[in-house]
Amino acid sequence: MDQPVLLEMSGICKEFPGVKALDHVNLTVRPGTVHALMGENGAGKSTLMKCLFGIYHRDAGTVVLDGKEVHFKSSKEALENGVAMVHQELNQALTRTVKDNLWLGRYPKIAGVMVNEKAMDKRTKEIFDVLGIHVDPKAIMSTLPVSQRQLVEIAKAVSYDSKIIVFDEPTSSLTESEVEHLFRIINMLRDKGCGIIYISHKMEEILRISDDVTIMRDGTWVATRPAKELDMDEIIRLMVGRELTNRFPEKTNKPEEVILDVEHIAGKYTRLKDATFQLRKGEILGIAGLDGSGRTEVLENLFGAMTREGGHIRLHGKEIQNRNPRESIKNGFALLTEERRATGIFGIRDIRENTVISNLKSYLVGGVCLSNKKMKKDTDWAIQAMHIKTPSQKTQIRSLSGGNQQKVIIGRWLLTKPEVLLLDEPTRGIDVGAKYEIYQLIIDLANEGKGVIMVSSEMPELLGVCDRILVMSGGQVAGEVDARNTSQEEILTLAAKYV
């Protein structure tokens, strides 16, 4: 490591009420390299980056950028000094256009007054052409899939001509082809001399794209090593402080009789055209497909979160409607949504409220008052069962790491004792140790006779956890495979069938 240093963070400390989030953490990034930042959920990765980016004010430590000590007081100041960040949870103006989101707060002006639309169009096209992004600059952000919104955010970071770009879980909502596209962009930025900080739980990506790897645990620095000296087992050992011999638990569930029969369901005003399948008691059914294939729409249709245009849903042979989420919960369905920040959590409410919100009727005393004692007991169970890292039940959920937020939501749905559990990207943004715990929970639920339907973009996850895999393509079912006797190639071939 004899190259000059582009960024040096030394002795960074940050405390929140009841928790020491960072304890004298160090990070050194060289120009023209990709530096991976790894650790379990709650290890302090995102907090460290927010201290760099001016979102949080560090309590102690120094940050030296390009030989000069800096102390950014806001993200605007960080951006103006060549530090950009692509956040895991997208925070965009969804009712505005793509180009508005790209230039918000720094519109090119005519005579310093009027927005120069022509210049904005020209610059947007230039950036998109360089990055190979095919998104309509005039499209409203809310009409785009998450993957395209993510690419817009990456383009925005690049447009600042930054020296340091932080990518926080950038591939969590990207398909395999989009991941390859992202890696081409990162390699291009590396060749230009940028320092890339890459946060991810996907170890295959880390080992492939990184030059250096820093590992954190419980708010402390553990190790920094060249990526070529590491393998998956060593990364896991450093991250979790113990050996983790298997990525997936032993599959002990045994599918029995059919409990759910879905026939020709289609969504109104959505991409879902036709889906027919069955789900057995104690079975874990995976749903694979490319972005836009209709995977998420299948779950939303079953849960009544979208208007169904046609088809039939039968539970234990009896037809049900599931016209809305309330009716679906009553029928024993639960849905873990893909976008936890937008549709999963109540950010300003605490852990307890977020845990019990879907099960309030069970806490009524005399039909009038809620039992705080019972709500506290159930929240304690969820925190312990899901290994949620939180100072207390009264902590606002938005202050937790993304993975811990996900665990709260899963705990919330388990308290409703669902018969059919619908999971959309259940381990998105979650570390390898916590993933294993969630896989075990899913298998335990199947062992209890629950039916589980799981959408995932991670092929190894589907193959490692599921019994069967339904493959969606172009809004319809392209095929069905046995998870034990299939391959990623077969699944991808089916996924491209109706594209």
Side-chain angles (χ1 to χ4, degrees), residues 262-266 273-277 310-312:
V262 178
E263 194 177 288
H264 298 301
I265 58 168
K273 299 173 185 173
D274 183 16
T276 297
F277 59 91
H312 302 277

Side-chain angles (χ1 to χ4, degrees), residues 319-352:
E319 183 148 2
I320 57 173
Q321 296 305 318
N322 283 9
R323 285 172 285 247
N324 53 59
R326 186 188 295 273
E327 187 179 333
S328 302
I329 293 168
K330 193 175 176 182
N331 285 328
F333 286 70
L335 172 64
L336 182 81
T337 58
E338 178 185 9
E339 285 293 294
R340 61 173 164 262
R341 185 177 178 186
T343 56
I345 66 168
F346 299 89
I348 61 171
R349 312 309 297 181
D350 62 32
I351 308 299
R352 186 186 301 176

Side-chain angles (χ1 to χ4, degrees), residues 376-421:
K376 182 179 183 298
K377 181 183 174 185
D378 280 358
T379 306
D380 275 337
W381 171 86
I383 289 171
Q384 290 168 21
M386 301 302 301
H387 302 281
I388 298 164
K389 291 181 182 176
T390 176
S392 78
Q393 293 189 9
K394 304 308 287 181
T395 301
Q396 281 190 352
I397 193 170
R398 67 180 178 185
S399 70
L400 300 187
S401 67
N404 280 301
Q405 291 176 7
Q406 189 81 315
K407 291 179 186 179
V408 171
I409 304 168
I410 294 172
R412 171 202 298 169
W413 284 119
L414 294 184
L415 287 172
T416 69
K417 296 180 171 56
E419 192 161 6
V420 178
L421 190 60

Side-chain angles (χ1 to χ4, degrees), residues 182-373:
L182 172 66
F183 285 177
R184 286 194 294 273
I185 292 172
I186 288 175
N187 285 327
M188 181 187 73
L189 293 168
R190 173 163 49 189
D191 292 343
K192 281 175 60 181
C194 280
I196 307 292
I197 301 174
Y198 191 92
I199 301 175
S200 178
H201 294 304
K202 298 179 181 178
M203 281 176 285
E204 296 92 342
E205 291 180 2
I206 292 294
L207 292 171
R208 179 182 163 193
I209 195 75
S210 306
D211 299 292
D212 305 311
V213 180
T214 287
I215 294 165
M216 296 176 64
R217 189 193 315 142
D218 297 328
T220 63
W221 174 89
V222 174
T224 298
R225 305 259 186 89
K228 62 186 177 186
E229 293 179 7
L230 292 168
D231 59 24
M232 206 174 290
D233 290 339
E234 178 67 1
I235 290 173
I236 292 170
R237 188 187 67 76
L238 290 166
M239 275 175 58
V240 303
R242 64 186 190 277
E243 300 289 342
L244 193 64
T245 51
N246 296 309
R247 287 180 65 188
F248 304 102
E250 183 185 352
K251 283 189 56 58
T252 52
N253 61 302
K254 291 179 172 58
E256 299 174 19
E257 74 276 6
V258 172
I259 57 169
L260 182 69
D261 204 334
V262 178
E263 194 177 288
H264 298 301
I265 58 168
K268 207 168 190 175
Y269 316 120
T270 71
R271 288 174 287 222
L272 182 61
K273 299 173 185 173
D274 183 16
T276 297
F277 59 91
Q278 293 180 326
L279 176 68
R280 297 179 179 278
K281 180 180 180 180
E283 180 179 39
I284 304 167
L285 175 67
I287 302 184
L290 303 174
D291 193 50
S293 63
R295 299 173 306 178
T296 292
E297 286 82 353
V298 171
L299 302 192
E300 290 178 341
N301 198 299
L302 289 175
F303 194 65
M306 65 153 59
T307 305
R308 196 164 75 247
E309 191 167 52
H312 302 277
I313 303 172
R314 296 183 182 88
L315 185 66
H316 298 300
K318 180 184 175 184
E319 183 148 2
I320 57 173
Q321 296 305 318
N322 283 9
R323 285 172 285 247
N324 53 59
R326 186 188 295 273
E327 187 179 333
S328 302
I329 293 168
K330 193 175 176 182
N331 285 328
F333 286 70
L335 172 64
L336 182 81
T337 58
E338 178 185 9
E339 285 293 294
R340 61 173 164 262
R341 185 177 178 186
T343 56
I345 66 168
F346 299 89
I348 61 171
R349 312 309 297 181
D350 62 32
I351 308 299
R352 186 186 301 176
E353 291 168 307
N354 272 276
T355 301
V356 303
I357 191 71
S358 295
N359 203 29
L360 288 178
K361 276 190 177 179
S362 69
Y363 304 113
L364 284 173
V365 179
V368 180
C369 299
L370 292 170
S371 168
N372 276 319
K373 185 179 178 182

Side-chain angles (χ1 to χ4, degrees), residues 147-148 151 173-183 291:
S147 59
Q148 289 191 4
L151 290 172
S173 56
L174 301 184
T175 62
E176 287 193 22
S177 62
E178 287 164 339
V179 169
E180 293 301 320
H181 185 188
L182 172 66
F183 285 177
D291 193 50

Side-chain angles (χ1 to χ4, degrees), residues 41-89:
N41 292 113
K45 307 180 300 294
S46 294
T47 303
L48 181 65
M49 291 300 97
K50 286 174 181 176
C51 285
L52 167 65
F53 198 55
I55 296 172
Y56 294 154
H57 298 294
R58 60 186 182 271
D59 299 328
T62 59
V63 177
V64 177
L65 177 66
D66 226 359
K68 178 185 174 186
E69 187 170 343
V70 293
H71 200 310
F72 303 134
K73 295 181 176 62
S74 66
S75 54
K76 183 175 183 289
E77 193 177 332
L79 284 163
E80 287 169 350
N81 283 274
V83 178
M85 185 169 177
V86 180
H87 297 272
Q88 178 184 357
E89 305 288 357

